[in-house]
C-alpha cells in the first residue's frame, strides 16, 4: 500500500495515492464487490424533484450510521466479509475510524455524479472522506465555490485510476464542490467506495 501524498494547489486538504492498492488486489476486489454488493438505483431530490441517480449505489455501515444523501434517507446494509478489511485499511491510511461507506457503480460513461459537496449534517463540520476507485479510470473535478483574486473559480482535475485512493479533509467540502462528469469515451464499469464517518444524530 502506498502512502498518501498532499496535492499541490489544494492547500493541504486533499491527499492522493495513485496506486494505493496493488493491481492484483484491486482486480480481485472489483470482481468481489460487483457480485457481493446489493446494487440499487437511488432516487435523488434535485430542486424539489425526485429523479433516478445516474449510477447504482449501496449504503453500507454500522447500524447506527443512518444517513441522508441528497434528500433521501438510508438505513445502511451491514458490512460484508469482503469490505471489513478494506474499511480497516482505508481507516488506517486516512487516520479516521470510518463507520460507513457509500458504494457506487458507474456502469459506463453515461453514469455520472453531478456537482455537490459532501456536507450533510451527519458528517459534522470538517468531514474526512476517503474515496477508493476500482475499474475504469474516470475524471474527478473539484471546483472552488468562491472566486480567487483574479475572479476565477479554481478547478482541479484528477484522473482516478484502478486502485487509487483520494482523501478529502479539512475545508474541502466548504471550499469546493466536486463532480464525476459523464464521458463520451467508451469506458468500462467503475466502482467507487466513499468512506465516511457519520456522527451520532443530535437531538
Ligand atoms: O465516484 C466518485 O469518485 C465520487 C462520488 C462522490 O462524490 C459521492 O458519491 O459523493
Ligand atoms: Mn461526493
Amino acid at each position: 500500500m502506498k502512502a498518501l501524498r498532499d496535492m499541490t494547489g489544494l492547500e493541504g486538504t486533499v491527499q492522493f495515492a495513485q496506486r494505493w492498492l496493488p493491481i492484483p488486489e484491486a482486480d480481485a476486489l472489483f470482481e468481489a464487490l460487483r457480485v457481493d454488493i446489493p446494487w440499487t438505483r437511488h432516487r435523488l431530490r434535485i430542486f424539489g424533484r425526485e429523479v433516478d441517480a445516474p449510477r447504482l449505489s449501496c449504503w453500507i455501515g454500522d447500524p447506527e450510521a443512518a444517513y441522508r444523501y441528497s434528500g433521501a434517507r438510508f438505513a445502511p446494509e451491514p458490512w460484508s466479509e469482503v469490505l471489513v478489511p478494506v474499511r480497516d485499511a482505508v481507516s488506517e491510511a486516512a487516520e479516521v475510524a470510518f463507520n460507513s461507506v457509500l458504494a457506487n457503480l458507474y456502469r459506463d460513461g453515461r453514469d455520472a455524479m453531478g456537482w455537490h459537496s459532501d456536507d450533510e449534517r451527519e458528517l459534522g463540520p470538517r468531514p474526512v472522506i476517503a474515496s477508493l476507485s476500482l475499474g475504469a479510470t474516470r475524471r474527478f473535478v473539484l471546483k472552488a465555490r468562491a472566486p480567487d483574486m483574479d475572479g476565477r473559480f479554481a478547478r482541479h482535475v484528477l484522473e482516478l485510476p484502478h486502485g487509487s485512493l483520494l482523501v478529502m479533509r479539512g475545508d474541502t467540502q466548504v471550499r469546493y464542490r466536486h463532480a464525476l462528469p459523464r464521458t463520451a469515451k467508451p469506458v468500462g464499469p467503475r466502482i467507487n467506495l466513499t468512506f465516511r464517518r457519520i456522527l451520532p444524530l443530535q437531538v
Side-chain angles (χ1 to χ4, degrees):
M1 257 184 281
K2 241 172 78 174
L4 291 160
R5 278 196 309 140
D6 285 334
M7 297 270 316
T8 48
L10 281 152
E11 292 108 23
T13 61
V14 178
Q15 298 172 301
F16 187 55
Q18 175 125 11
R19 285 261 172 267
W20 188 72
L21 268 187
I23 298 298
E25 275 180 48
D27 288 348
L29 184 59
F30 179 85
E31 290 310 327
L33 294 177
R34 233 178 142 167
V35 289
D36 182 61
I37 290 181
W39 297 107
T40 55
R41 196 183 256 284
H42 285 178
R43 303 273 294 168
L44 301 177
R45 192 167 314 132
I46 298 170
F47 300 118
R49 232 161 39 89
E50 284 243 331
V51 294
D52 279 337
R55 61 183 186 182
L56 301 181
S57 299
C58 183
W59 181 249
I60 298 154
D62 295 352
E64 67 276 10
Y67 190 58
R68 232 177 2 239
Y69 191 78
S70 285
R73 201 181 164 79
F74 303 103
E77 293 284 328
W79 294 103
S80 67
E81 253 172 61
V82 171
L83 274 174
V84 166
V86 181
R87 175 199 64 196
D88 293 347
V90 171
S91 291
E92 198 184 327
E95 298 177 308
V96 172
F98 293 114
N99 60 5
S100 52
V101 63
L102 179 68
N104 297 304
L105 172 61
Y106 302 87
R107 294 157 292 184
D108 57 31
R110 286 169 298 191
D111 277 355
M113 182 64 194
W115 291 108
H116 70 284
S117 297
D118 299 325
D119 57 1
E120 286 76 10
R121 216 160 60 96
E122 295 88 333
L123 297 173
R126 302 173 96 221
V128 178
I129 314 276
S131 164
L132 178 60
S133 293
L134 302 162
T137 299
R138 293 284 296 262
R139 182 165 290 190
F140 180 84
V141 190
L142 285 146
K143 187 165 74 178
R145 284 173 172 273
D148 58 23
M149 282 192 306
D150 306 323
R152 277 195 286 261
F153 291 80
R155 278 168 81 92
H156 300 271
V157 179
L158 267 154
E159 301 284 338
L160 300 181
H162 190 42
S164 65
L165 184 68
L166 173 82
V167 179
M168 298 183 273
R169 51 174 90 238
D171 286 337
T172 314
Q173 305 307 324
V174 177
R175 300 171 63 153
Y176 297 92
R177 269 187 263 271
H178 56 269
L180 191 98
R182 286 173 137 214
T183 173
K185 282 187 211 148
V187 291
R190 167 176 183 265
I191 291 175
N192 171 257
L193 302 175
T194 50
F195 291 87
R196 296 146 197 254
R197 178 155 181 84
I198 307 286
L199 306 177
L201 275 179
Q202 311 284 318
V203 230

